[in-house]
Amino acid sequence: MLEQAKAFFMALQDNICNALTKLDGSEFEQDQWVREEGGGGRSRVLKDGHVFEQAGVNFSHVFGKNMPASATAHRPELEGRSFNACGVSLVIHPKNPHIPTTHANVRFFIAEKEGADPVWWFGGGFDLTPYYPREEDVVSWHQTAFDLCKPYGEDVYPRYKKWCDEYFYLKHRDETRGVGGLFFDDLNEWGFDRSFAFTQAVGNGFIDAYRPIVERRKDEAVTEEQRQFQLYRRGRYVEFNLVYDRGTLFGLQTGGRTESILMSMPPLVRWEYQYSPEPGTPESNLYERYLKPQDYLQLEK
């Protein structure tokens, strides 16, 4: 199981990097790293490109004698087990504020203990964080998510879409991080083959969802006001990743490579005391229309 998942994740990293290189025209830098406690990975980062200010696409496979606290917090029965964890995680911060920031990851865990059956599961998903959202982009993003989920059951998209809305939520701001997408974890009830196939569909579906948005928005004109709003809203991304994100905690608690874990941070960001957008502006549209969970595909009608 581990070798099948690992082979897919490494190929997925290649495919996504190739697609992003074609969109941007710039190449990724690669760092291969080794984790002292076991495992390692390869980190690829595109910096200061034509389209992407920074894009990081990481593959890692780490293992150890004890599950970290971030992994056992919601599954305490796994405490004391050894683990293998592998996957791909990516974050893309575009230059143009009309292109959304995005994040995706797919991962596989095995937790083992002598005298007990191994416990394994898949997790992952993708989400979109626009600054100047367009309905067309948001709907196409969710339509791609819906389409890849459909073969696995009518309830899969609504369930994992709701989980995404709830996970990527900044409680201290009372707002979602963006317009959501899919989030799933602890997936093993379908058996390995079906669970793995769904994880592959999510991983491969990411670029299908994101590429058309980039192509539509990458040449739109940008004002300095829009750039400043983008930098301000990037602050929400930082707040979520450092306060709530389980993947960030897992990486740090397992002694992962800090540079790779924190490549999700935007290269430039700003905060502003008590910022509030002017009513009736495109900036206020983000707050009023898009930073709360909703049914973008109108499936309930």
Side-chain angles (χ1 to χ4, degrees):
M1 289 191 295
L2 179 65
E3 291 307 313
Q4 287 185 64
K6 187 174 175 180
F8 167 70
F9 293 142
M10 295 181 77
L12 178 66
Q13 184 192 35
D14 290 341
N15 293 338
I16 291 175
C17 288
N18 289 338
L20 295 176
T21 293
K22 288 180 181 178
L23 284 170
D24 189 278
S26 304
E27 298 291 333
F28 280 81
E29 300 173 8
Q30 175 170 294
D31 291 315
Q32 290 197 268
W33 53 275
V34 175
R35 176 175 171 269
E36 189 174 325
E37 295 84 353
R42 56 188 194 188
S43 298
R44 294 178 181 169
V45 178
L46 187 161
K47 296 190 292 186
D48 195 26
H50 301 290
V51 177
F52 305 119
E53 195 165 347
Q54 182 167 295
V57 186
N58 290 340
F59 163 79
S60 65
H61 170 214
V62 299
F63 50 88
K65 295 180 179 179
N66 290 292
M67 293 278 287
S70 61
T72 59
H74 70 296
R75 298 192 65 167
E77 73 277 10
L78 300 180
E79 193 169 343
R81 285 181 176 244
S82 64
F83 73 94
N84 269 274
C86 64
V88 168
S89 179
L90 67 91
V91 175
I92 301 169
H93 293 289
K95 284 187 170 180
N96 193 314
H98 298 291
I99 304 174
T101 284
T102 190
H103 154 266
N105 78 84
V106 280
R107 56 191 180 273
F108 179 62
F109 275 81
I110 301 179
E112 296 179 286
K113 187 177 182 180
E114 189 174 348
D117 291 335
V119 177
W120 61 266
W121 68 94
F122 287 96
F126 50 66
D127 65 288
L128 195 69
T129 306
Y131 307 97
Y132 291 92
R134 307 292 179 83
E135 196 79 5
E136 176 189 10
D137 297 343
V138 177
V139 170
S140 72
W141 175 262
H142 280 277
Q143 188 65 55
T144 301
F146 175 87
D147 291 344
L148 71 86
C149 289
K150 192 172 182 180
Y152 298 88
E154 295 293 332
D155 67 322
V156 174
Y157 168 78
R159 184 154 46 100
Y160 291 163
K161 188 262 185 193
K162 182 174 185 289
W163 201 345
C164 186
D165 289 336
E166 293 172 349
Y167 181 76
F168 292 106
Y169 183 77
L170 287 83
K171 301 178 184 68
H172 63 287
R173 297 287 191 180
D174 192 24
E175 63 187 40
T176 57
R177 187 169 78 172
V179 297
L182 299 173
F183 181 91
F184 68 99
D185 206 356
D186 305 321
L187 178 63
N188 58 18
E189 66 267 24
W190 294 341
F192 178 80
D193 289 343
R194 189 172 175 84
S195 300
F196 184 30
F198 176 73
T199 303
Q200 290 173 290
V202 172
N204 291 327
F206 162 75
I207 204 67
D208 294 334
Y210 191 56
R211 178 167 41 205
I213 299 173
V214 175
E215 290 173 337
R216 284 194 291 266
R217 307 301 167 203
K218 63 186 179 68
D219 295 321
E220 292 196 5
V222 178
T223 67
E224 179 59 24
E225 181 182 24
Q226 290 168 339
R227 171 63 169 170
Q228 290 303 312
F229 183 67
Q230 177 195 44
L231 296 181
Y232 172 74
R233 287 299 306 176
R234 280 179 177 177
R236 299 293 203 272
Y237 216 88
V238 173
E239 290 174 22
F240 181 87
N241 279 20
L242 294 183
V243 176
Y244 299 115
D245 187 64
R246 291 210 307 252
T248 302
L249 290 173
F250 176 84
L252 295 174
Q253 289 175 0
T254 56
R257 183 173 182 260
T258 302
E259 288 297 313
S260 300
I261 297 164
L262 296 181
M263 67 88 196
S264 61
M265 298 297 110
L268 292 173
V269 63
R270 73 180 187 88
W271 279 264
E272 181 177 331
Y273 181 68
Q274 287 194 332
Y275 170 82
S276 181
E278 291 291 329
T281 62
E283 291 78 15
S284 68
N285 183 49
L286 171 68
Y287 287 78
E288 294 165 8
R289 169 78 174 92
Y290 292 97
L291 296 185
K292 50 192 173 186
Q294 55 199 281
D295 179 10
Y296 292 106
L297 300 183
Q298 300 183 317
L299 298 177
E300 297 174 358
K301 292 188 176 181

